[in-house]
Amino acid sequence: MISIFKCRKSLCLPALLLVSCNGIAATTPESESGFQAMLRRLLPFDVFEPETPEIVISGVSSGQKANVRAFLSLSKEACDAPQWRVNRLFAQADTEIDKAMRALGYYHTRVEKKLDFNEDCWQAEFKITRGPPVRIEELAINVSGEAEIDPAYKQLLAGNPIKTGNILHHGRYESFKSSFQSLAQERGYFDARFLKSAIKVDTERNSANIILDFASGQRYFFGEVNIDQDILNPDFVQRFIPFEEDESYSSRKLADTYNNLTAGGYFKTIEIRPRIDDAVDLKVPVDIALYPQKKHSYEVGVGYDTNFGPLFSLGYTNRRLNRRGHTFNAALDLSPVLSTAESRYNIPLQQPTSDFFSFGAGFKHEEPDTFTSNMFKVSAQRQRIAPSGWQQIGFLDLVYESFQSADVDSSALLLIPGVRLQYTRSNSPIRPTEGYHLNFSLAGAHESVVSSLSFVQAGAGARLITGVPWSGRFIMRGDVGASLVSNFEDLPTTYRYYAGGAQSIRGYEYKELGPTNATGQVIGGKMLSVLSLEYEQFIGDQWGIAAFVDGGNAHNDFGDIDVKIGAGLGVRWISPVGPVRIDFAVPFHESGSSFQVHFSAGSQL
């Protein structure tokens, strides 16, 4: 006897008794079961896909076929099911098919069927003749009570999927009917009920009449909110709650409350319980119990970055400096190319999840091949997330930077006010197939106010992701920037533009590219223009490959840009801690190396 076995996993064992993926093994009937049993004992997984019965359904659409299969008890039986049970379920298949087709509006179904048994399994065939469908002739929907003027119920009725003339679909009817009760629970109509709900089917005329008479009753309100916690001032915690007593009840507002308290970062466990059964005068009391996060948090990290080399990091957060919700965080990052130390004191304002003020201090040492810089900074910052979703950041930085670039060894003191705007929208935080990110910035300094030179700098960036069929997506990136400066030689390297690296033009080293001086040394530029196009194709759920091309450069004039191009291939992995990307890129122009390996992590938006 010749048996064909299919490997369930990518690992196969061609040396083990001549078994391989989709391969053929010669066995005898007597040795086959023992052979398979031995493999199952040897391996941590089953290399054999068990044979399954074949149930052939014809005469109906794919959707109707799926519904019939879902109703068939026979479809749950395996090849080794007792023959008497298969026969019994086959006999009742007519009734089950009739129910499945009636649910879709077909009340005159006829079935021709056939059942065969062979040595290994059984096979069933069902040829279905649908007959004429039942169509909706009359539709009467009535909403009474306070919901009659509720915009949410008006929207529900406007989106009614049930129309006169349509084929009767019991699933759509039940779904639409249940949406009345679901919305009632969400909107606080706790006494709502159907006065009448019915479908009357005339099988002779193939017509149906639908009646839905819904009485919502009165809408309830939020009553007293009882908050059980003793780590923050009660008036501060109250800022996380987006509703007030006597406001119309909404379960969505309770969900927003949970999300706000979670986003604050102060609480480990959050319990919210509306006491509907204890409502008095239509007012629902709400109990909130909050259990704190640990006050202190520490982080230690070791890694490697293709831009910066080996990395070591330390982080500290104090989640509760006081009962007013003030927090403090500090971070230290060390690498051969870029090292930073910074701390920040954060003060939440009226909307504590989206509006806060902070001030901080930091030090940065940066030493790529093109310059060396040491920068000290103190700053004040106001951050706000507008209802539209735009993140708005206004800042005032006092910066002292000493730097060496080519033959320039200088320092500068700058008082820099500025603003940044950011907006992100996507359909997934991990691997979006549709989405975009926009950011804009404007900053500057003037010699008349503390600063040793005057400059104005504006920048903009965009990321666009669009999906294509077969699990692919295009990723487009663009960054531009421009500066007006009184004396470029005095402008610190932190505020000059360079190109090259994993987030710029791949194939080149970090900040390797830019305008040069008379001796050919890169000194950075007043402007930046970088574009990137990438195609990514996933193979399965976790792994993918990519091809990309990046181009652009830093430059000093709009019409004078020495375009550099890099291109390559990459590997993508959705790891347990998020997306990981490894890119192998080559430069198309003169560079310090013939290729670069770039590693990056996190969402590309």
Side-chain angles (χ1 to χ4, degrees), residues 259-286:
N259 293 335
N260 290 346
L261 290 167
T262 300
Y266 303 103
F267 308 107
K268 181 179 182 180
T269 304
I270 300 164
E271 297 176 358
I272 301 176
R273 186 169 70 93
R275 291 166 30 219
I276 298 170
D277 293 339
D278 297 331
V280 177
D281 296 329
L282 301 178
K283 291 185 178 182
V284 179
V286 178

PDB file of all heavy atoms in Angstrom, residues 259-286:
ATOM      1  N   ASN A 259     -10.056  54.315  30.490  1.00  0.00           N
ATOM      2  CA  ASN A 259      -8.903  54.604  29.635  1.00  0.00           C
ATOM      3  C   ASN A 259      -8.098  55.778  30.172  1.00  0.00           C
ATOM      4  O   ASN A 259      -6.856  55.771  30.140  1.00  0.00           O
ATOM      5  CB  ASN A 259      -9.362  54.893  28.208  1.00  0.00           C
ATOM      6  CG  ASN A 259      -9.955  53.665  27.531  1.00  0.00           C
ATOM      7  OD1 ASN A 259      -9.631  52.541  27.887  1.00  0.00           O
ATOM      8  ND2 ASN A 259     -10.828  53.876  26.569  1.00  0.00           N
ATOM      9  N   ASN A 260      -8.776  56.811  30.676  1.00  0.00           N
ATOM     10  CA  ASN A 260      -8.079  57.970  31.224  1.00  0.00           C
ATOM     11  C   ASN A 260      -7.250  57.587  32.447  1.00  0.00           C
ATOM     12  O   ASN A 260      -6.089  57.985  32.583  1.00  0.00           O
ATOM     13  CB  ASN A 260      -9.076  59.057  31.606  1.00  0.00           C
ATOM     14  CG  ASN A 260      -9.718  59.712  30.400  1.00  0.00           C
ATOM     15  OD1 ASN A 260      -9.260  59.554  29.264  1.00  0.00           O
ATOM     16  ND2 ASN A 260     -10.793  60.437  30.625  1.00  0.00           N
ATOM     17  N   LEU A 261      -7.843  56.823  33.342  1.00  0.00           N
ATOM     18  CA  LEU A 261      -7.137  56.421  34.560  1.00  0.00           C
ATOM     19  C   LEU A 261      -5.958  55.507  34.220  1.00  0.00           C
ATOM     20  O   LEU A 261      -4.904  55.570  34.863  1.00  0.00           O
ATOM     21  CB  LEU A 261      -8.103  55.730  35.510  1.00  0.00           C
ATOM     22  CG  LEU A 261      -9.163  56.640  36.149  1.00  0.00           C
ATOM     23  CD1 LEU A 261     -10.254  55.813  36.802  1.00  0.00           C
ATOM     24  CD2 LEU A 261      -8.525  57.588  37.158  1.00  0.00           C
ATOM     25  N   THR A 262      -6.126  54.668  33.205  1.00  0.00           N
ATOM     26  CA  THR A 262      -5.016  53.812  32.780  1.00  0.00           C
ATOM     27  C   THR A 262      -3.886  54.641  32.183  1.00  0.00           C
ATOM     28  O   THR A 262      -2.704  54.430  32.484  1.00  0.00           O
ATOM     29  CB  THR A 262      -5.508  52.785  31.754  1.00  0.00           C
ATOM     30  OG1 THR A 262      -6.534  51.981  32.334  1.00  0.00           O
ATOM     31  CG2 THR A 262      -4.377  51.885  31.292  1.00  0.00           C
ATOM     32  N   ALA A 263      -4.239  55.607  31.330  1.00  0.00           N
ATOM     33  CA  ALA A 263      -3.229  56.440  30.671  1.00  0.00           C
ATOM     34  C   ALA A 263      -2.454  57.290  31.666  1.00  0.00           C
ATOM     35  O   ALA A 263      -1.292  57.637  31.414  1.00  0.00           O
ATOM     36  CB  ALA A 263      -3.888  57.327  29.622  1.00  0.00           C
ATOM     37  N   GLY A 264      -3.072  57.629  32.791  1.00  0.00           N
ATOM     38  CA  GLY A 264      -2.372  58.450  33.781  1.00  0.00           C
ATOM     39  C   GLY A 264      -1.148  57.775  34.342  1.00  0.00           C
ATOM     40  O   GLY A 264      -0.186  58.453  34.728  1.00  0.00           O
ATOM     41  N   GLY A 265      -1.147  56.448  34.405  1.00  0.00           N
ATOM     42  CA  GLY A 265       0.019  55.717  34.876  1.00  0.00           C
ATOM     43  C   GLY A 265       0.148  55.623  36.383  1.00  0.00           C
ATOM     44  O   GLY A 265       1.137  55.074  36.884  1.00  0.00           O
ATOM     45  N   TYR A 266      -0.828  56.100  37.131  1.00  0.00           N
ATOM     46  CA  TYR A 266      -0.738  56.088  38.586  1.00  0.00           C
ATOM     47  C   TYR A 266      -1.280  54.805  39.197  1.00  0.00           C
ATOM     48  O   TYR A 266      -0.936  54.468  40.338  1.00  0.00           O
ATOM     49  CB  TYR A 266      -1.525  57.263  39.173  1.00  0.00           C
ATOM     50  CG  TYR A 266      -1.095  58.619  38.680  1.00  0.00           C
ATOM     51  CD1 TYR A 266      -1.851  59.311  37.724  1.00  0.00           C
ATOM     52  CD2 TYR A 266       0.063  59.221  39.147  1.00  0.00           C
ATOM     53  CE1 TYR A 266      -1.469  60.560  37.271  1.00  0.00           C
ATOM     54  CE2 TYR A 266       0.458  60.474  38.698  1.00  0.00           C
ATOM     55  CZ  TYR A 266      -0.318  61.134  37.759  1.00  0.00           C
ATOM     56  OH  TYR A 266       0.074  62.366  37.312  1.00  0.00           O
ATOM     57  N   PHE A 267      -2.143  54.090  38.465  1.00  0.00           N
ATOM     58  CA  PHE A 267      -2.895  52.999  39.063  1.00  0.00           C
ATOM     59  C   PHE A 267      -2.613  51.676  38.357  1.00  0.00           C
ATOM     60  O   PHE A 267      -2.591  51.604  37.122  1.00  0.00           O
ATOM     61  CB  PHE A 267      -4.398  53.298  39.025  1.00  0.00           C
ATOM     62  CG  PHE A 267      -4.744  54.642  39.610  1.00  0.00           C
ATOM     63  CD1 PHE A 267      -5.116  55.692  38.782  1.00  0.00           C
ATOM     64  CD2 PHE A 267      -4.658  54.854  40.971  1.00  0.00           C
ATOM     65  CE1 PHE A 267      -5.418  56.934  39.313  1.00  0.00           C
ATOM     66  CE2 PHE A 267      -4.959  56.095  41.512  1.00  0.00           C
ATOM     67  CZ  PHE A 267      -5.338  57.140  40.681  1.00  0.00           C
ATOM     68  N   LYS A 268      -2.434  50.626  39.161  1.00  0.00           N
ATOM     69  CA  LYS A 268      -2.178  49.295  38.629  1.00  0.00           C
ATOM     70  C   LYS A 268      -3.489  48.575  38.312  1.00  0.00           C
ATOM     71  O   LYS A 268      -3.600  47.875  37.298  1.00  0.00           O
ATOM     72  CB  LYS A 268      -1.363  48.492  39.633  1.00  0.00           C
ATOM     73  CG  LYS A 268      -1.017  47.088  39.173  1.00  0.00           C
ATOM     74  CD  LYS A 268      -0.187  46.357  40.208  1.00  0.00           C
ATOM     75  CE  LYS A 268       0.192  44.963  39.732  1.00  0.00           C
ATOM     76  NZ  LYS A 268       1.006  44.246  40.743  1.00  0.00           N
ATOM     77  N   THR A 269      -4.466  48.731  39.177  1.00  0.00           N
ATOM     78  CA  THR A 269      -5.758  48.080  39.006  1.00  0.00           C
ATOM     79  C   THR A 269      -6.862  49.119  39.122  1.00  0.00           C
ATOM     80  O   THR A 269      -6.835  49.957  40.034  1.00  0.00           O
ATOM     81  CB  THR A 269      -5.973  46.974  40.052  1.00  0.00           C
ATOM     82  OG1 THR A 269      -4.884  46.042  39.981  1.00  0.00           O
ATOM     83  CG2 THR A 269      -7.282  46.243  39.808  1.00  0.00           C
ATOM     84  N   ILE A 270      -7.823  49.056  38.192  1.00  0.00           N
ATOM     85  CA  ILE A 270      -8.927  50.019  38.155  1.00  0.00           C
ATOM     86  C   ILE A 270     -10.231  49.236  38.074  1.00  0.00           C
ATOM     87  O   ILE A 270     -10.416  48.408  37.170  1.00  0.00           O
ATOM     88  CB  ILE A 270      -8.792  50.955  36.940  1.00  0.00           C
ATOM     89  CG1 ILE A 270      -7.471  51.734  37.004  1.00  0.00           C
ATOM     90  CG2 ILE A 270      -9.980  51.912  36.860  1.00  0.00           C
ATOM     91  CD1 ILE A 270      -7.071  52.364  35.702  1.00  0.00           C
ATOM     92  N   GLU A 271     -11.109  49.481  39.032  1.00  0.00           N
ATOM     93  CA  GLU A 271     -12.408  48.813  39.041  1.00  0.00           C
ATOM     94  C   GLU A 271     -13.514  49.874  39.005  1.00  0.00           C
ATOM     95  O   GLU A 271     -13.548  50.758  39.859  1.00  0.00           O
ATOM     96  CB  GLU A 271     -12.563  47.944  40.297  1.00  0.00           C
ATOM     97  CG  GLU A 271     -11.551  46.807  40.380  1.00  0.00           C
ATOM     98  CD  GLU A 271     -11.663  46.025  41.682  1.00  0.00           C
ATOM     99  OE1 GLU A 271     -12.510  46.407  42.530  1.00  0.00           O
ATOM    100  OE2 GLU A 271     -10.902  45.059  41.858  1.00  0.00           O
ATOM    101  N   ILE A 272     -14.394  49.780  38.007  1.00  0.00           N
ATOM    102  CA  ILE A 272     -15.506  50.718  37.863  1.00  0.00           C
ATOM    103  C   ILE A 272     -16.804  49.918  37.844  1.00  0.00           C
ATOM    104  O   ILE A 272     -16.974  49.020  37.018  1.00  0.00           O
ATOM    105  CB  ILE A 272     -15.365  51.545  36.561  1.00  0.00           C
ATOM    106  CG1 ILE A 272     -14.043  52.325  36.573  1.00  0.00           C
ATOM    107  CG2 ILE A 272     -16.541  52.498  36.398  1.00  0.00           C
ATOM    108  CD1 ILE A 272     -13.769  53.091  35.301  1.00  0.00           C
ATOM    109  N   ARG A 273     -17.713  50.252  38.767  1.00  0.00           N
ATOM    110  CA  ARG A 273     -18.957  49.484  38.873  1.00  0.00           C
ATOM    111  C   ARG A 273     -20.155  50.412  38.961  1.00  0.00           C
ATOM    112  O   ARG A 273     -20.358  51.080  39.987  1.00  0.00           O
ATOM    113  CB  ARG A 273     -18.913  48.573  40.098  1.00  0.00           C
ATOM    114  CG  ARG A 273     -20.114  47.627  40.225  1.00  0.00           C
ATOM    115  CD  ARG A 273     -19.867  46.586  41.287  1.00  0.00           C
ATOM    116  NE  ARG A 273     -19.870  47.172  42.614  1.00  0.00           N
ATOM    117  CZ  ARG A 273     -20.953  47.237  43.405  1.00  0.00           C
ATOM    118  NH1 ARG A 273     -22.126  46.761  42.958  1.00  0.00           N
ATOM    119  NH2 ARG A 273     -20.880  47.737  44.615  1.00  0.00           N
ATOM    120  N   PRO A 274     -20.954  50.509  37.884  1.00  0.00           N
ATOM    121  CA  PRO A 274     -22.213  51.258  37.977  1.00  0.00           C
ATOM    122  C   PRO A 274     -23.254  50.414  38.711  1.00  0.00           C
ATOM    123  O   PRO A 274     -23.504  49.266  38.339  1.00  0.00           O
ATOM    124  CB  PRO A 274     -22.593  51.489  36.518  1.00  0.00           C
ATOM    125  CG  PRO A 274     -21.957  50.346  35.785  1.00  0.00           C
ATOM    126  CD  PRO A 274     -20.716  49.990  36.526  1.00  0.00           C
ATOM    127  N   ARG A 275     -23.876  50.955  39.743  1.00  0.00           N
ATOM    128  CA  ARG A 275     -24.847  50.209  40.548  1.00  0.00           C
ATOM    129  C   ARG A 275     -26.259  50.505  40.036  1.00  0.00           C
ATOM    130  O   ARG A 275     -27.016  51.280  40.614  1.00  0.00           O
ATOM    131  CB  ARG A 275     -24.697  50.566  42.015  1.00  0.00           C
ATOM    132  CG  ARG A 275     -23.396  50.031  42.594  1.00  0.00           C
ATOM    133  CD  ARG A 275     -22.954  50.583  43.928  1.00  0.00           C
ATOM    134  NE  ARG A 275     -24.072  50.999  44.785  1.00  0.00           N
ATOM    135  CZ  ARG A 275     -24.026  52.085  45.546  1.00  0.00           C
ATOM    136  NH1 ARG A 275     -22.961  52.879  45.504  1.00  0.00           N
ATOM    137  NH2 ARG A 275     -25.043  52.408  46.324  1.00  0.00           N
ATOM    138  N   ILE A 276     -26.590  49.864  38.915  1.00  0.00           N
ATOM    139  CA  ILE A 276     -27.871  50.129  38.247  1.00  0.00           C
ATOM    140  C   ILE A 276     -29.047  49.724  39.134  1.00  0.00           C
ATOM    141  O   ILE A 276     -30.067  50.415  39.195  1.00  0.00           O
ATOM    142  CB  ILE A 276     -27.906  49.400  36.894  1.00  0.00           C
ATOM    143  CG1 ILE A 276     -26.786  49.926  35.983  1.00  0.00           C
ATOM    144  CG2 ILE A 276     -29.256  49.576  36.218  1.00  0.00           C
ATOM    145  CD1 ILE A 276     -26.584  49.127  34.723  1.00  0.00           C
ATOM    146  N   ASP A 277     -28.897  48.598  39.839  1.00  0.00           N
ATOM    147  CA  ASP A 277     -29.995  48.124  40.682  1.00  0.00           C
ATOM    148  C   ASP A 277     -30.255  49.042  41.870  1.00  0.00           C
ATOM    149  O   ASP A 277     -31.319  48.950  42.503  1.00  0.00           O
ATOM    150  CB  ASP A 277     -29.692  46.710  41.174  1.00  0.00           C
ATOM    151  CG  ASP A 277     -29.700  45.689  40.052  1.00  0.00           C
ATOM    152  OD1 ASP A 277     -30.315  45.990  39.013  1.00  0.00           O
ATOM    153  OD2 ASP A 277     -29.077  44.624  40.205  1.00  0.00           O
ATOM    154  N   ASP A 278     -29.284  49.908  42.191  1.00  0.00           N
ATOM    155  CA  ASP A 278     -29.442  50.821  43.327  1.00  0.00           C
ATOM    156  C   ASP A 278     -29.858  52.219  42.889  1.00  0.00           C
ATOM    157  O   ASP A 278     -29.787  53.167  43.686  1.00  0.00           O
ATOM    158  CB  ASP A 278     -28.127  50.903  44.114  1.00  0.00           C
ATOM    159  CG  ASP A 278     -27.739  49.565  44.732  1.00  0.00           C
ATOM    160  OD1 ASP A 278     -28.655  48.785  45.036  1.00  0.00           O
ATOM    161  OD2 ASP A 278     -26.530  49.302  44.890  1.00  0.00           O
ATOM    162  N   ALA A 279     -30.262  52.363  41.637  1.00  0.00           N
ATOM    163  CA  ALA A 279     -30.637  53.686  41.129  1.00  0.00           C
ATOM    164  C   ALA A 279     -31.865  54.212  41.877  1.00  0.00           C
ATOM    165  O   ALA A 279     -32.821  53.479  42.133  1.00  0.00           O
ATOM    166  CB  ALA A 279     -30.915  53.615  39.641  1.00  0.00           C
ATOM    167  N   VAL A 280     -31.811  55.504  42.202  1.00  0.00           N
ATOM    168  CA  VAL A 280     -32.925  56.199  42.849  1.00  0.00           C
ATOM    169  C   VAL A 280     -33.228  57.445  42.031  1.00  0.00           C
ATOM    170  O   VAL A 280     -32.327  58.217  41.702  1.00  0.00           O
ATOM    171  CB  VAL A 280     -32.574  56.596  44.303  1.00  0.00           C
ATOM    172  CG1 VAL A 280     -33.725  57.380  44.933  1.00  0.00           C
ATOM    173  CG2 VAL A 280     -32.275  55.346  45.129  1.00  0.00           C
ATOM    174  N   ASP A 281     -34.506  57.619  41.689  1.00  0.00           N
ATOM    175  CA  ASP A 281     -34.907  58.753  40.851  1.00  0.00           C
ATOM    176  C   ASP A 281     -34.103  58.776  39.550  1.00  0.00           C
ATOM    177  O   ASP A 281     -33.654  59.834  39.099  1.00  0.00           O
ATOM    178  CB  ASP A 281     -34.737  60.076  41.606  1.00  0.00           C
ATOM    179  CG  ASP A 281     -35.641  60.167  42.823  1.00  0.00           C
ATOM    180  OD1 ASP A 281     -36.731  59.572  42.780  1.00  0.00           O
ATOM    181  OD2 ASP A 281     -35.244  60.820  43.808  1.00  0.00           O
ATOM    182  N   LEU A 282     -33.914  57.581  38.966  1.00  0.00           N
ATOM    183  CA  LEU A 282     -33.205  57.414  37.677  1.00  0.00           C
ATOM    184  C   LEU A 282     -31.723  57.780  37.757  1.00  0.00           C
ATOM    185  O   LEU A 282     -31.071  57.929  36.720  1.00  0.00           O
ATOM    186  CB  LEU A 282     -33.869  58.228  36.564  1.00  0.00           C
ATOM    187  CG  LEU A 282     -35.331  57.921  36.273  1.00  0.00           C
ATOM    188  CD1 LEU A 282     -35.858  58.856  35.180  1.00  0.00           C
ATOM    189  CD2 LEU A 282     -35.515  56.468  35.851  1.00  0.00           C
ATOM    190  N   LYS A 283     -31.151  57.894  38.957  1.00  0.00           N
ATOM    191  CA  LYS A 283     -29.736  58.228  39.114  1.00  0.00           C
ATOM    192  C   LYS A 283     -28.966  56.975  39.511  1.00  0.00           C
ATOM    193  O   LYS A 283     -29.287  56.330  40.510  1.00  0.00           O
ATOM    194  CB  LYS A 283     -29.551  59.322  40.163  1.00  0.00           C
ATOM    195  CG  LYS A 283     -30.086  60.681  39.742  1.00  0.00           C
ATOM    196  CD  LYS A 283     -29.750  61.741  40.783  1.00  0.00           C
ATOM    197  CE  LYS A 283     -30.232  63.114  40.359  1.00  0.00           C
ATOM    198  NZ  LYS A 283     -29.871  64.170  41.356  1.00  0.00           N
ATOM    199  N   VAL A 284     -27.931  56.651  38.715  1.00  0.00           N
ATOM    200  CA  VAL A 284     -27.134  55.441  38.920  1.00  0.00           C
ATOM    201  C   VAL A 284     -25.844  55.806  39.647  1.00  0.00           C
ATOM    202  O   VAL A 284     -24.983  56.502  39.090  1.00  0.00           O
ATOM    203  CB  VAL A 284     -26.793  54.769  37.574  1.00  0.00           C
ATOM    204  CG1 VAL A 284     -25.947  53.524  37.807  1.00  0.00           C
ATOM    205  CG2 VAL A 284     -28.054  54.432  36.804  1.00  0.00           C
ATOM    206  N   PRO A 285     -25.664  55.370  40.897  1.00  0.00           N
ATOM    207  CA  PRO A 285     -24.388  55.625  41.570  1.00  0.00           C
ATOM    208  C   PRO A 285     -23.275  54.798  40.926  1.00  0.00           C
ATOM    209  O   PRO A 285     -23.509  53.691  40.433  1.00  0.00           O
ATOM    210  CB  PRO A 285     -24.649  55.200  43.010  1.00  0.00           C
ATOM    211  CG  PRO A 285     -25.794  54.253  42.933  1.00  0.00           C
ATOM    212  CD  PRO A 285     -26.623  54.654  41.749  1.00  0.00           C
ATOM    213  N   VAL A 286     -22.069  55.348  40.953  1.00  0.00           N
ATOM    214  CA  VAL A 286     -20.916  54.687  40.341  1.00  0.00           C
ATOM    215  C   VAL A 286     -19.814  54.561  41.386  1.00  0.00           C
ATOM    216  O   VAL A 286     -19.419  55.554  42.010  1.00  0.00           O
ATOM    217  CB  VAL A 286     -20.397  55.478  39.123  1.00  0.00           C
ATOM    218  CG1 VAL A 286     -19.167  54.785  38.535  1.00  0.00           C
ATOM    219  CG2 VAL A 286     -21.483  55.605  38.065  1.00  0.00           C
TER     220      VAL A 286
END
